[in-house]
Amino acid sequence: MAPKSMEEKAKNEFSKGAWTSEEDKKLAESIQIHGPKRWKTVAVKSGLNRCGKSCRLRWLNYLRPNIKRGNISDDEEDLILRLHKLLGNRWSLIAGRLPGRTDNEIKNYWNSQLSKRVNTDKIVTTVTIQPTKHKENDDELNPTNQRQRESPNGGQEEGNSGTIPIFDTNEFFDFSTETFGLEWVNNFIKFGVEQNDLH
DNA sequence: AAGGGCTCCAACCGCCAGCGA
DNA sequence: GTCGCTGGCGGTTGGAGCCCT
């Protein structure tokens, strides 16, 4: 029985499990040559018996330069809580606003620490978001939104029961740039204060 | 000291969208 | 228009290490 898809083929042919320092070195060298985009090429040229997806994951979550690991500060935790309240489980978007943090790390942090606290302590952020008429723009901007809505819980954690926050992410985030300035944080907090003042 | 349960996190899996042939 | 390949995403799993009894 031949494999039905490339993914199934990959499952059978590539090695899995923890990466060794030797593999890390080979991967880094290959990425230096081919760039952190063409993962199939990187995987093949590196001589690693790993699939492109695995190489990408390793690079993004571990080898990438300027990556921060562990010791999530109170400020960062507060941001994660607030952003999760607004965005739901859109980890890549949340990570994009936390310099040096990866979506995987934030997802793990949420699942291991924050979700429990949200459920048990009934943490309530002070931000109350009103629906806007720009929902469609949000989808155009972030294709993953559509998938989120199709997920069983609609991208919302149990701790977020109640009204589903719908807002225009573009009001806060400039997705057209890769800069990680903190100006958006000020806008974000200011917006939250304004919304609270209305109630 | 031992072993059973728990926590955390690296890595895998499945799905989907974009793109080129 | 469609098909296959690739990259990106969120969900899930497995194992190493820690803690408690």
Side-chain angles (χ1 to χ4, degrees):
Chain A
M1 198 56 151
K4 281 184 283 188
S5 66
M6 291 297 287
E7 284 180 11
E8 212 162 321
K9 192 178 172 185
K11 270 193 266 181
N12 297 331
E13 291 183 359
F14 296 113
S15 60
K16 302 177 192 174
W19 281 69
T20 65
S21 55
E22 186 67 23
E23 286 178 312
D24 284 344
K25 193 179 162 192
K26 284 183 182 177
L27 177 61
E29 285 170 356
S30 186
I31 286 171
Q32 257 191 334
I33 297 168
H34 304 287
K37 270 287 175 186
R38 302 173 61 190
W39 297 111
K40 184 79 185 293
T41 305
V42 166
V44 171
K45 299 288 183 184
S46 65
L48 296 166
N49 191 29
R50 298 274 186 174
C51 65
K53 290 175 84 168
S54 185
C55 292
R56 173 184 167 270
L57 203 67
R58 183 63 177 173
W59 172 258
L60 290 178
N61 291 334
Y62 200 84
L63 298 175
R64 197 161 48 114
N66 304 323
I67 199 164
K68 277 197 240 172
R69 303 185 61 75
N71 297 327
I72 289 181
S73 67
D74 290 345
D75 285 347
E76 287 176 313
E77 184 182 301
D78 187 51
L79 278 176
I80 293 169
L81 282 165
R82 287 163 178 266
L83 287 168
H84 186 271
K85 179 87 175 173
L86 288 166
L87 303 170
N89 295 0
R90 288 148 76 182
W91 307 115
S92 60
L93 276 180
I94 295 173
R97 296 297 117 187
L98 288 161
R101 299 295 183 185
T102 69
D103 56 352
N104 207 35
E105 184 176 20
I106 290 168
K107 181 168 59 181
N108 283 332
Y109 187 69
W110 178 270
N111 287 334
S112 65
Q113 316 235 356
L114 299 183
S115 64
K116 278 184 286 186
R117 283 168 47 190
V118 166
N119 286 335
T120 58
D121 299 346
K122 305 286 183 196
I123 292 174
V124 178
T125 67
T126 57
V127 179
T128 306
I129 303 302
Q130 296 298 308
T132 75
K133 61 183 178 181
H134 305 303
K135 180 61 181 166
E136 293 307 314
N137 293 342
D138 189 30
D139 274 354
E140 287 173 12
L141 197 61
N142 306 299
T144 53
N145 289 7
Q146 196 169 353
R147 199 185 317 161
Q148 278 294 331
R149 284 202 307 277
E150 288 166 2
S151 66
N153 63 2
Q156 298 301 310
E157 289 293 315
E158 291 169 16
N160 292 336
S161 61
T163 56
I164 298 172
I166 301 170
F167 79 115
D168 184 359
T169 51
N170 203 34
E171 287 181 17
F172 299 107
F173 312 139
D174 179 5
F175 291 99
S176 64
T177 69
E178 280 300 314
T179 58
F180 294 114
L182 294 179
E183 192 178 341
W184 72 273
V185 177
N186 296 328
N187 293 337
F188 173 60
I189 293 169
K190 186 180 163 196
F191 180 84
V193 170
E194 287 170 356
Q195 291 296 316
N196 274 350
D197 287 347
L198 292 176
H199 293 83

